[in-house]
Amino acid sequence: MPVDVRTADGVADAYLAYPGDGAPHPGVLVIQDGFGLRPGLRSLADRIAAHGYTVLLPNAYYRHGRAPVIELPDFIDPEQRPEIFQQVFPMIRELTPELLRSDAAAYLEWLAAAPQVAAGKVGVTGYCMGARLAVLVAAMFPGRVGAVAGFHGGPLVTDTPDSPHLMAGNITAELYFAHAGEDDHMTPEHIDRFDEALATAGVRHRTEVYEGARHGFTQADTSAYDPAAAERHYRELLATLPPGGSASVSENSVSGDGRE
């Protein structure tokens, strides 16, 4: 169900999914990949919600309009449509740590006030650029985030002061990261440095490399999709999140009744 989240800079359109049993469930914030909020990500949110979670999926590009911010094909193959990257890269670069902090505060406050969300820390999961942002959100709001799962994320190690690996000391959440075996954004050296930073900071974490998988392997509407790796991602994601509110909830019972 579409919902609106008021932020310091306006209104972020978002998608909300939760079990239709009338009970509050643990909150999960899903941070999009670079292509933006679209049907494939809504389906992903529905699947998470079916396991007993209330899932909020915001449009990170809301400053440029409501989703879809750019026109996307039903099947995204960047090699065939390189202009897609030319459209999204400027919006990705605009998501500075300052704007992320402001937006994430609004999303977390919205979840905390929602009657569909149980009290307690939330889980955060992110994809591609969203995995990078998820680490930063955990570092910015350690009292609000209890678990983070990131998939084919990057870049997580850079030479800039806001590199996610440099923020590890602020994180109290448990982390799980699944890296694609074929990913220029996270080389083996980057993965080692990221793990070392987490270990040095005492962050509870687990990282894995999905050998043979490409950057974007979770996204069913893209040419990088890997069905086996995507299913593995769901298993590990659910194992990382706090226990869902109802293990018996089926995907067909997910409700779209949100609040504006």
Side-chain angles (χ1 to χ4, degrees):
M1 176 78 177
V3 297
D4 286 341
V5 178
R6 188 161 297 281
T7 74
D9 291 331
V11 175
D13 54 306
Y15 179 73
L16 182 71
Y18 58 91
D21 58 3
H25 294 272
V28 175
L29 175 65
V30 176
I31 305 182
Q32 66 175 56
D33 64 1
F35 297 129
L37 202 166
R38 58 194 189 280
L41 279 178
R42 294 186 184 96
S43 295
L44 183 150
D46 286 342
R47 181 160 176 180
I48 298 171
H51 289 272
Y53 298 95
T54 295
V55 182
L56 181 69
L57 167 62
N59 168 22
Y61 302 148
Y62 72 88
R63 292 176 179 84
H64 294 269
R66 301 180 73 87
V69 176
I70 65 170
E71 183 179 351
L72 291 170
D74 293 335
F75 182 77
I76 303 169
D77 184 347
E79 292 184 1
Q80 299 297 322
R81 296 284 302 275
E83 75 278 4
I84 293 175
F85 281 135
Q86 296 171 8
Q87 291 176 285
V88 301
F89 276 155
M91 293 187 288
I92 293 173
R93 287 192 288 266
E94 286 178 9
L95 291 175
T96 63
E98 292 74 23
L99 289 185
L100 174 64
R101 180 184 293 274
S102 176
D103 289 347
Y107 304 149
L108 294 172
E109 287 294 336
W110 195 98
L111 282 167
Q116 302 92 346
V117 179
K121 292 185 177 182
V122 304
V124 181
T125 184
Y127 301 86
C128 301
M129 76 164 194
R132 176 181 186 275
L133 299 181
V135 177
L136 296 178
V137 170
M140 293 170 178
F141 302 94
R144 307 290 292 275
V145 178
V148 173
F151 300 92
H152 44 81
L156 297 171
V157 175
T158 70
D159 57 3
T160 61
D162 61 352
S163 176
H165 82 291
L166 297 178
M167 308 297 160
N170 295 332
I171 296 173
T172 60
E174 179 178 354
L175 270 61
Y176 171 80
F177 269 77
H179 305 290
E182 300 179 19
D183 193 344
D184 292 337
H185 296 282
M186 283 297 289
T187 65
E189 179 185 0
H190 290 145
I191 294 171
D192 288 344
R193 289 182 63 190
F194 184 60
D195 283 348
E196 181 181 357
L198 295 177
T200 300
V203 177
R204 293 169 298 155
H205 71 282
R206 196 160 54 93
T207 61
E208 296 183 314
V209 176
Y210 290 16
E211 296 297 346
R214 297 165 57 193
H215 182 83
F217 60 78
T218 61
Q219 302 302 302
D221 58 355
T222 74
S223 56
Y225 180 57
D226 183 318
E231 288 303 310
R232 180 180 175 186
H233 126 267
Y234 280 114
R235 293 193 298 270
E236 297 296 348
L237 168 60
L238 294 171
T240 304
L241 295 175
S246 175
S248 63
V249 175
S250 68
E251 292 186 37
N252 292 332
S253 69
V254 172
S255 173
D257 292 332
R259 67 179 178 91
E260 295 296 330

